[in-house]
Amino acid sequence: MAGGGYAADQGDGRRYEGGVTAFVVITCLVAAMGGLMFGYDIGISGGVTAMDSFLKPFFPHVYKKQHGNHEENMYCKFDDHVLTLFTSSLYLAALIASFFASATTRRFGRKMSMMFGGLVFLGGAILNGAAVNVAMLIVGRLMLGVGVGFANQSVPVYLSEMAPANLRGALNMGFQMAITIGILAANLINYGTSKIKSGWGWRISLGLAAVPAIIFTIGSLFLPDTPNSILERGNHEKAKKMLQKIRGTNNVDEEFQDLVDATMAAKQVEHPWRNFTGRKYRPQLIICTFIPFFQQLTGINVIMFYAPVLFKTLGFGDDASLMSAVITGVVNVVATMVSVYCVDKLGRKALFLEGGVQMIICQVLVAVIIGRVFGTGGEGEMSKSVSSLVLFLICAYVAAFAWSWGPLGWLVPSEICPLEIRSAGQATNVSVNMFFTFVIGQFFLSMLCHMKFALFLFFGGFVIIMTIFIYYFVPETKNVPIEEMNQVWKQHGFWSKYVSNDDVTARTSSPP
């Protein structure tokens, strides 16, 4: 295979004047709050579906199966497609919404997409908290999905465009940090609401999704749009003033000219989707498709969606399963902080590769332990020491994902596309991510029932493949200005044949 290993130093892109300002940090933090909505929803659904007070009125057949014959196969106690549809329907809606969000983001700006996403998510949270039947639950989840689709489309692009090149990774990872904080908050809330004896704790869990939606929506009202987005809509003077404000210097002529050149090139593209599938943009198309695909095939959402259910299946008690989910949530937040600190120092590729190796080791060991305890019949009982070991391995796996494929799966696709295909590239990233999130969310419990402990080997196999993919096909992008990314492809052993010298020159030279 061509192109292996690390490309030559990719951090030699043009250096612009100015740096990180308090203004850009604050705007990026507010925008990243969109991750709170996404993370809260990821964490809340698994805990709610493990609550007896939720299962009794909405899924009584699952409740009976769970509390019925104790000799029943442990792998299959939660296998129910309507129950999993409650979780996965959101991601199907997000997939469809991402395509509408692409056009909205391009035409009306990133800010408008964020505001709309927050409002729709808020409506879905209210509907879920007030649900009296499964239909209300599903419709509410679909509304949440629309909100997630718009937020995930616009926020990573917004962050990449606002941040200076040398801190783009750290500031963009504010989105992933907010996701992990949302997951942890959801796990803590589930643990608390499960103690409510009267049985309405699940309503609090679902209804509190309105809180991150309100924060995100109100915050987006006060956000400025990015210079790139303002230029796309033809206001050069306003765009330059915004660039001066976020860079903290009046001397932005060089960077602004690069943005103008990129905008002019973008306006010559009448059909972004058609161009995105052409040979010229083949590197971006492949990476914006395969990274989100592999991100979901790590198996992480098995843990994030169904952590309480999974731990309960493995023999942890009700309280122990929820507390174990809280522990993995804490690990997720701390490990993401590691990534924020390291991503612009060590680079994207080193974190990708280390995380992949660590996940493979943990998945294989978990499969071996579960196989020895439960076998293929699903009958057995974990000792306290073995349960603690499984929890440790799952935490190590979550940590590896949190400083590699979690944040980088959103960062890299958002920073590699030139302006003319940026919305199409991000829509592809979001839609592929949401489609496979839906697939995993919908079919995981059935896969667990049929594949048993080998399910962890199944995901581990994909981690091996994706780690090889990163090694050979994903170049290093740290410190490269977002409008000069064509240099990265031209220096890469495999992708260089898709990028002409004219493309690189057009991006890196400014008119006299």
Side-chain angles (χ1 to χ4, degrees), residues 13-14 55 106 119 126 133 135 139 147 150 157 163 188 226 258 282 344 412 436 469 492 497:
R14 184 175 304 181
L55 291 176
R106 182 179 174 89
L119 285 171
I126 294 171
N133 53 50
V139 172
F150 271 80
V157 171
L188 288 168
T226 68
D258 283 347
R282 191 64 49 79
D344 289 315
V412 173
F436 285 100
F469 173 80
H492 191 271
K497 61 188 176 184

Side-chain angles (χ1 to χ4, degrees), residues 91 133 365 417:
Y91 301 96
N133 53 50
L365 291 177
C417 293

Side-chain angles (χ1 to χ4, degrees), residues 21-87:
T21 61
F23 178 76
V24 76
V25 170
I26 292 170
T27 56
C28 286
L29 286 175
V30 172
M33 290 302 100
L36 273 180
M37 299 192 312
F38 190 27
Y40 186 87
D41 185 81
I42 289 173
I44 211 70
S45 58
V48 167
T49 53
M51 294 182 188
D52 290 344
S53 60
F54 177 79
L55 291 176
K56 282 180 183 178
F58 293 104
F59 303 97
H61 51 293
V62 177
Y63 174 79
K64 290 178 181 177
K65 184 163 60 171
Q66 181 187 340
H67 293 276
N69 181 11
H70 292 286
E71 300 297 320
E72 186 179 355
N73 191 322
M74 289 292 293
Y75 295 117
C76 300
K77 286 200 170 188
F78 288 90
D79 182 19
D80 182 85
H81 285 294
V82 179
L83 177 63
T84 53
L85 185 63
F86 166 71
T87 295

Side-chain angles (χ1 to χ4, degrees), residues 43-194:
I44 211 70
S45 58
V48 167
T49 53
M51 294 182 188
D52 290 344
S53 60
F54 177 79
L55 291 176
K56 282 180 183 178
F58 293 104
F59 303 97
H61 51 293
V62 177
Y63 174 79
K64 290 178 181 177
K65 184 163 60 171
Q66 181 187 340
H67 293 276
N69 181 11
H70 292 286
E71 300 297 320
E72 186 179 355
N73 191 322
M74 289 292 293
Y75 295 117
C76 300
K77 286 200 170 188
F78 288 90
D79 182 19
D80 182 85
H81 285 294
V82 179
L83 177 63
T84 53
L85 185 63
F86 166 71
T87 295
S88 64
S89 57
L90 180 150
Y91 301 96
L92 191 60
L95 186 161
I96 297 170
S98 66
F99 292 101
F100 293 97
S102 173
T104 303
T105 301
R106 182 179 174 89
R107 184 172 180 182
F108 299 105
R110 290 62 167 140
K111 175 178 176 176
M112 188 62 68
S113 281
M114 289 189 280
M115 288 175 58
F116 180 78
L119 285 171
V120 178
F121 192 96
L122 176 59
I126 294 171
L127 192 60
N128 269 178
V132 295
N133 53 50
V134 173
M136 286 183 69
L137 287 175
I138 300 300
V139 172
R141 294 289 292 176
L142 293 174
M143 292 179 68
L144 294 175
V146 172
V148 166
F150 271 80
N152 286 7
Q153 161 70 24
S154 53
V155 171
V157 171
Y158 183 94
L159 295 172
S160 289
E161 291 180 346
M162 290 292 279
N166 64 321
L167 288 174
R168 188 174 60 243
L171 289 178
N172 196 297
M173 284 186 181
F175 180 66
Q176 179 67 21
M177 177 61 70
I179 291 176
T180 62
I181 292 172
I183 293 171
L184 176 58
N187 289 333
L188 288 168
I189 288 168
N190 277 336
Y191 185 76
T193 58
S194 68

Side-chain angles (χ1 to χ4, degrees), residues 393-509:
L393 289 171
I394 289 177
C395 285
Y397 162 81
V398 169
F401 179 87
W403 62 54
S404 62
W405 277 86
L408 297 175
W410 293 105
L411 169 61
V412 173
S414 74
E415 68 183 357
I416 62 173
C417 293
L419 186 61
E420 63 267 24
I421 59 162
R422 192 166 297 154
S423 291
Q426 186 63 13
T428 300
N429 179 37
V430 173
S431 60
V432 172
N433 190 298
M434 293 300 106
F435 175 75
F436 285 100
T437 303
F438 165 75
V439 171
I440 296 299
Q442 182 62 34
F443 296 106
F444 161 66
L445 293 177
S446 289
M447 293 169 70
L448 178 63
C449 181
H450 291 90
M451 298 178 69
K452 304 175 175 58
F453 64 87
L455 180 60
F456 291 92
L457 298 177
F458 170 80
F459 288 121
F462 273 100
V463 177
I464 292 173
I465 295 170
M466 74 192 199
T467 302
I468 295 171
F469 173 80
I470 291 294
Y471 183 82
Y472 283 104
F473 295 108
V474 177
E476 183 56 68
T477 56
K478 72 170 182 176
N479 295 336
V480 180
I482 195 169
E483 303 302 343
E484 293 189 22
M485 206 61 70
N486 271 356
Q487 294 183 64
V488 171
W489 309 116
K490 194 60 183 173
Q491 294 174 20
H492 191 271
F494 181 82
W495 298 120
S496 59
K497 61 188 176 184
Y498 293 95
V499 181
S500 69
N501 291 327
D502 290 342
D503 291 330
V504 176
T505 302
R507 295 287 182 189
T508 58
S509 62

